[in-house]
Amino acid sequence: MKLPKNRWRLLRRLAQVLFLLAFLWLFRRTESDGTPEVMGSVNLLFRLDPLVAASAVLAGKTFIAALLPAAILAGLTLVLGRFFCGWVCPLGTLIDGARRIIPRRERPAGRGWRRGKYIVLAAVLAAALGGLDLAGLVDPFSILFRGLACAVDPGLTALVAAPFDWAFRSAPESVSAVTEGVYGFLKDHFLPFKAGAYRLAGVSLGLLAAVLVLERFGRRFWCRNLCPAGGLFALLARPALLRRSPPVSCKGCGRCESDCRMGAFGEEGKLSPEECNLCLDCLDDCPKGIAAFRLRR
């Protein structure tokens, strides 16, 4: 079967959706259902996070075997480049989705912001050496999990439960019998076991919303300029073996440079491997069909 023209874009979007759904499923499984054990947990994804792993190792001054998946992901980044940001990160997927509804400025932020992610990364790692956990505040998994757990999830739960509560109290018995069955199904499979309320719900929601609203100032603004995990992936991706060919945008065309969501093409149209998140859109969009990614020796 022949794949469509935009095959790489379609494959990447499929991967993004699948990893986002996996995150949401693990997020729901994280909350206890009243039994002493939880079969699945979003903690599994945190073990993939090299920033969390680096912070934990620096804070504990010892290697933690449970974080071995993060070391494997770091090794893959050394070979493939910053693919995690483009194909896996659930927050990055939401940012891509937010772009469709958030109006953008005519003049996006300049490249001078790029060093911001390295400054935040250095602050997180320095704090970890001193025993202070800042990764839990600015890591993309943490921002998304905390925003969902403290604000979005309780709000949606209250919104869904409201009509069922009304039916239970005011509707005829024949109607309430049906609605209670529906509510029981939702409770068993989609809603949390116990409704929660959190003092920092507004702060958590505001931080998540701010990351999405930053899309107004440029595509993937958070990922390009402020994400400390992105900064760590960028450092690991500099010597990556998988490289784009040609390594520069074609003179007289420049479509890949103008369309790049990460603004990864720098001076004279040269691609910076540490800024490229392997979205592979440039392969599908190349009018000459010459763009490719190959492993170098």
Side-chain angles (χ1 to χ4, degrees), residues 167-180:
F168 179 75
R169 293 187 177 93
S170 306
E173 185 175 349
S174 58
V175 174
S176 62
V178 175
T179 58
E180 282 301 295

Side-chain angles (χ1 to χ4, degrees), residues 78-179:
L78 288 171
V79 176
L80 302 176
R82 199 174 161 183
F83 73 96
F84 180 89
C85 301
W87 290 68
V88 180
C89 180
L91 184 56
T93 300
L94 292 179
I95 290 174
D96 285 342
R99 174 179 174 267
R100 301 179 181 277
I101 60 176
I102 295 177
R104 285 166 286 169
R105 294 178 60 186
E106 293 183 2
R107 299 180 62 182
R111 297 181 65 88
W113 284 85
R114 297 286 174 113
R115 65 177 66 94
K117 59 180 175 289
Y118 300 116
I119 295 174
V120 178
L121 173 63
V124 169
L125 298 182
L129 277 172
L132 179 63
D133 179 20
L134 292 183
L137 296 176
V138 294
D139 180 80
F141 278 153
S142 298
I143 291 175
L144 180 56
F145 179 78
R146 191 169 53 248
L148 291 177
C150 296
V152 176
D153 200 36
L156 288 177
T157 299
L159 186 64
V160 171
F164 292 101
D165 289 341
W166 174 86
F168 179 75
R169 293 187 177 93
S170 306
E173 185 175 349
S174 58
V175 174
S176 62
V178 175
T179 58

Side-chain angles (χ1 to χ4, degrees), residues 1-293:
M1 182 179 67
K2 186 177 180 180
L3 290 173
K5 180 180 178 181
N6 295 328
R7 57 188 180 277
W8 289 112
R9 182 180 284 109
L10 292 173
L11 288 173
R12 173 182 50 77
R13 288 176 176 173
L14 177 61
Q16 287 182 284
V17 170
L18 289 177
F19 279 112
L20 177 60
L21 292 176
F23 179 90
L24 295 176
W25 181 79
L26 291 172
F27 169 78
R28 173 55 62 229
R29 296 298 302 169
T30 296
E31 187 197 40
S32 172
D33 58 0
T35 60
E37 295 182 358
V38 180
M39 294 183 62
S41 171
V42 79
N43 183 49
L44 295 173
L45 289 180
F46 278 96
R47 294 179 186 178
L48 284 172
D49 193 332
L51 178 62
V52 172
S55 298
V57 169
L58 290 174
K61 309 298 189 298
T62 184
F63 179 75
I64 303 174
L67 298 176
L68 182 60
I72 296 175
L73 180 58
L76 289 174
T77 304
L78 288 171
V79 176
L80 302 176
R82 199 174 161 183
F83 73 96
F84 180 89
C85 301
W87 290 68
V88 180
C89 180
L91 184 56
T93 300
L94 292 179
I95 290 174
D96 285 342
R99 174 179 174 267
R100 301 179 181 277
I101 60 176
I102 295 177
R104 285 166 286 169
R105 294 178 60 186
E106 293 183 2
R107 299 180 62 182
R111 297 181 65 88
W113 284 85
R114 297 286 174 113
R115 65 177 66 94
K117 59 180 175 289
Y118 300 116
I119 295 174
V120 178
L121 173 63
V124 169
L125 298 182
L129 277 172
L132 179 63
D133 179 20
L134 292 183
L137 296 176
V138 294
D139 180 80
F141 278 153
S142 298
I143 291 175
L144 180 56
F145 179 78
R146 191 169 53 248
L148 291 177
C150 296
V152 176
D153 200 36
L156 288 177
T157 299
L159 186 64
V160 171
F164 292 101
D165 289 341
W166 174 86
F168 179 75
R169 293 187 177 93
S170 306
E173 185 175 349
S174 58
V175 174
S176 62
V178 175
T179 58
E180 282 301 295
V182 174
Y183 184 69
F185 175 81
L186 294 175
K187 189 76 173 177
D188 292 339
H189 297 88
F190 298 103
L191 298 178
F193 175 74
K194 182 179 180 181
Y198 303 90
R199 293 181 180 179
L200 297 179
V203 175
S204 301
L205 181 61
L207 185 58
L208 177 58
V211 170
L212 301 179
V213 171
L214 284 174
E215 192 72 1
R216 169 175 169 77
F217 302 98
R219 291 199 68 181
R220 288 273 188 144
F221 185 93
W222 163 259
C223 309
R224 290 192 197 187
N225 306 310
L226 297 175
C227 178
L232 182 56
F233 281 119
L235 292 176
L236 293 170
R238 284 188 177 184
L241 300 180
L242 186 65
R243 295 296 179 97
R244 184 183 185 270
S245 176
V248 296
S249 61
C250 299
K251 293 182 179 180
C253 176
R255 179 173 176 178
C256 53
E257 181 178 357
S258 61
D259 291 349
C260 181
R261 70 185 60 217
M262 294 293 289
F265 292 85
E267 297 180 0
E268 300 180 356
K270 185 177 180 180
L271 180 70
S272 300
E274 65 268 25
E275 300 297 342
C276 175
N277 71 354
L278 275 292
C279 72
L280 303 185
D281 283 352
C282 59
L283 272 61
D284 288 334
D285 295 340
C286 180
K288 299 179 181 178
I290 61 174
F293 278 81

